[in-house]
């Protein structure tokens, strides 16, 4: 079966081709000199280890409890891809920040590796609140979250049942449920959806009997003259020095790819159902004006309760907001959390 998300993208015709040359302002592997960083880990409610990087301003006052922000990485990525950048930039503004690896990915535990489990992903955000809210230097009444790409939908899922998340921001959000059920622009037919589900179900027999694990989705490993702009956009980040990162114990051939049999679990994931119940906690949706994923931020904004805001970054695409520091509106994120984590 072809790569799921990108074969969906073949049905989109609203983009110009995107090359793999690194933009001058791309800075995914940014290392701040203004902060101290601690590698941390903590258990979620399923006793799985969630790994993260805790960023602290170097001039912290030991008598003060600080507001904190959790940052989640794009779906299929790890904290070293986009999340660490955002966490450092926000910590430079005086927040305690925590970038985390979702369960089954990166340095977090969970077997099989690269498994899809949206409820557990959401749980990881609540577990991060548990961790931060029990630190002496964090004000547990002032904890917010930034979800990038797929983590935007997981953070929303968590916030619906965890009122300790006081302010919720998403960037280049993907509704991973809608993307898998319907594809971009609702281009996947019901028959195609059923075929994907059937293929995954049959593969369960193979793997139950000890056969080889199959993977799907994620970033392609090479481009050709037929490569679609969406493929090129993700390739330019995940398969080049701009953002390529292989966690210890993994393989470059497996990075970004969820298992085929688990990926269909997204079909039962509806993060925008009851999104209005998050109100009156504030929500900020940030998307590129030209992003192929913009439909998800538009829909979430339409369904969310007040207070809410949609910020469209002029000229930006989806991946641009992963690492292009001159396009990412860090000032808007800063003011949002300063105002709402008072």
């Amino acid at each position: 079966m072809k790569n799921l998300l990108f074969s969906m993208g073949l049905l989109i015709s609203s983009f110009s081709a995107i090359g793999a040359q690194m933009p001058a302002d791309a800075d995914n592997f940014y290392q701040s000199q203004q902060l101290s960083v601690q590698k941390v880990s903590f258990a979620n409610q399923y006793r799985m280890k969630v790994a993260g990087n805790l960023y602290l301003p170097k001039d912290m006052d030991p008598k003060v409890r600080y507001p904190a922000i959790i940052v989640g990485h794009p779906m299929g990525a790890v904290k070293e891809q986009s999340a660490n950048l955002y966490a450092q930039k926000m910590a430079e503004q005086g927040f305690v920040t925590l970038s985390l690896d979702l369960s089954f990915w990166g340095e977090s535990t969970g077997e099989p590796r690269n498994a899809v489990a949206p409820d557990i992903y959401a749980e990881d955000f609540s577990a991060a609140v548990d961790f931060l809210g029990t630190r002496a230097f964090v004000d547990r009444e002032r904890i917010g979250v930034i979800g990038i790409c797929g983590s935007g939908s997981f953070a929303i899922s968590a916030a619906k049942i965890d009122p300790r998340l006081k302010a919720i921001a998403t960037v280049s959000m993907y509704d991973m449920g809608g993307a898998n059920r319907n594809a971009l622009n609702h281009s996947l037919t019901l028959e195609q959806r059923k075929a994907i589900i059937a293929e995954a179900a049959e593969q369960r027999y193979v793997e139950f009997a000890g056969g080889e694990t199959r993977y799907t989705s994620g970033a392609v490993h090479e481009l050709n003259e037929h490569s679609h702009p969406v493929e090129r956009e993700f390739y330019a980040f995940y398969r080049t020095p701009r953002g390529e990162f292989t966690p210890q114990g993994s393989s470059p051939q497996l990075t970004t790819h969820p298992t085929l049999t688990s990926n269909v679990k997204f079909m039962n994931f509806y993060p925008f159902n009851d999104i209005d119940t998050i109100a009156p906690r504030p929500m900020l949706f940030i998307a590129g004006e030209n992003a192929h994923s913009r439909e998800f931020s538009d829909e979430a904004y339409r369904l969310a309760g007040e207070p809410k805001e949609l910020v469209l970054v002029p000229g930006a695409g989806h991946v641009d907001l992963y690492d292009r520091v001159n396009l990412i509106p860090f000032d808007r994120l800063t003011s949002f959390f300063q105002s709402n984590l008072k």
Side-chain angles (χ1 to χ4, degrees):
M1 184 179 70
K2 288 185 177 181
N3 174 305
L4 174 59
L5 288 180
F6 294 131
S7 63
M8 296 175 185
L10 293 176
L11 297 169
I12 307 169
S13 58
S14 58
F15 308 103
S16 59
I18 300 171
Q21 184 175 356
M22 186 184 300
D25 60 345
D27 202 3
N28 177 70
F29 296 107
Y30 175 74
Q31 295 291 323
S32 177
Q33 302 306 308
Q34 304 174 38
L35 311 170
S36 61
V37 57
Q38 302 174 13
K39 295 186 76 67
V40 300
S41 64
F42 46 90
N44 64 21
Q45 281 197 325
Y46 303 104
R47 302 297 182 261
M48 300 166 70
K49 184 191 84 170
V50 180
N53 287 339
L54 182 67
Y55 294 98
L56 306 172
K58 288 183 178 179
D59 59 352
M60 288 179 65
D61 184 339
K63 299 178 182 178
V64 173
R65 288 180 179 266
Y66 288 80
I69 301 170
I70 303 158
V71 184
H73 57 73
M75 176 59 204
V78 291
K79 62 184 179 300
E80 288 78 9
Q81 293 164 315
S82 194
N84 282 352
L85 168 62
Y86 274 75
Q88 290 177 87
K89 290 293 187 179
M90 298 309 294
E92 288 177 347
Q93 302 306 313
F95 300 95
V96 169
T97 62
L98 174 65
S99 63
L100 71 161
D101 282 328
L102 296 177
S103 293
F104 308 100
W105 299 90
E107 296 179 291
S108 292
T109 62
E111 295 292 339
R113 302 308 294 164
N114 299 18
V116 168
D119 284 349
I120 296 178
Y121 296 164
E123 161 60 23
D124 292 340
F125 284 96
S126 287
V129 178
D130 297 339
F131 173 80
L132 287 171
T134 53
R135 303 305 99 184
F137 48 83
V138 170
D139 183 345
R140 65 171 56 179
E141 297 302 319
R142 295 191 291 162
I143 298 176
V145 63
I146 299 172
I148 304 164
C149 186
S151 276
S153 59
F154 310 142
I156 287 172
S157 181
K160 289 192 296 184
I161 57 172
D162 195 337
R164 300 174 302 168
L165 289 167
K166 302 298 185 182
I168 299 92
T170 70
V171 180
S172 287
M173 178 168 54
Y174 251 82
D175 168 4
M176 294 307 303
N180 279 270
R181 280 188 303 276
N182 305 313
L184 298 171
N185 298 324
H186 289 253
S187 55
L188 194 73
T189 67
L190 178 58
E191 290 72 22
Q192 289 171 317
R193 182 198 306 178
K194 288 183 175 181
I196 292 167
I197 293 170
E199 183 177 18
E202 287 299 313
Q203 178 64 17
R204 290 181 65 113
Y205 285 128
V206 174
E207 294 176 19
F208 184 81
E212 185 176 351
T213 300
R214 287 183 60 192
Y215 298 87
T216 187
S217 191
V220 298
H221 293 271
E222 59 183 37
L223 299 176
N224 56 49
E225 65 273 19
H226 303 297
S227 297
H228 189 270
V230 177
E231 291 179 307
R232 293 178 181 276
E233 184 178 9
F234 283 105
Y235 178 95
F237 182 79
Y238 288 112
R239 305 302 179 202
T240 74
R242 175 180 171 185
E244 186 171 19
F245 185 88
T246 302
Q248 185 175 0
S250 186
S251 158
Q253 294 304 310
L254 295 182
T255 57
T256 77
H257 300 297
T259 64
L260 173 65
T261 56
S262 71
N263 197 62
V264 292
K265 296 187 187 302
F266 277 138
M267 302 285 189
N268 280 339
F269 181 49
Y270 292 84
F272 297 168
N273 282 8
D274 299 323
I275 190 175
D276 58 304
T277 63
I278 293 174
R281 287 173 288 155
M283 303 192 73
L284 171 66
F285 306 99
I286 298 174
E289 175 188 33
N290 301 325
H292 68 262
S293 58
R294 176 177 162 178
E295 62 179 286
F296 302 121
S297 294
D298 287 341
E299 182 182 12
Y301 175 75
R302 178 179 64 83
L303 295 171
E306 296 286 355
K308 61 184 178 181
E309 184 176 0
L310 175 65
V311 173
L312 298 177
V313 180
H318 177 86
V319 171
D320 286 331
L321 300 186
Y322 283 12
D323 66 341
R324 293 189 61 185
V325 293
N326 292 341
L327 286 177
I328 299 168
F330 287 116
D331 56 345
R332 186 64 198 89
L333 283 165
T334 299
S335 62
F336 172 76
F337 286 111
Q338 285 177 341
S339 297
N340 294 298
L341 299 179
K342 293 180 180 178

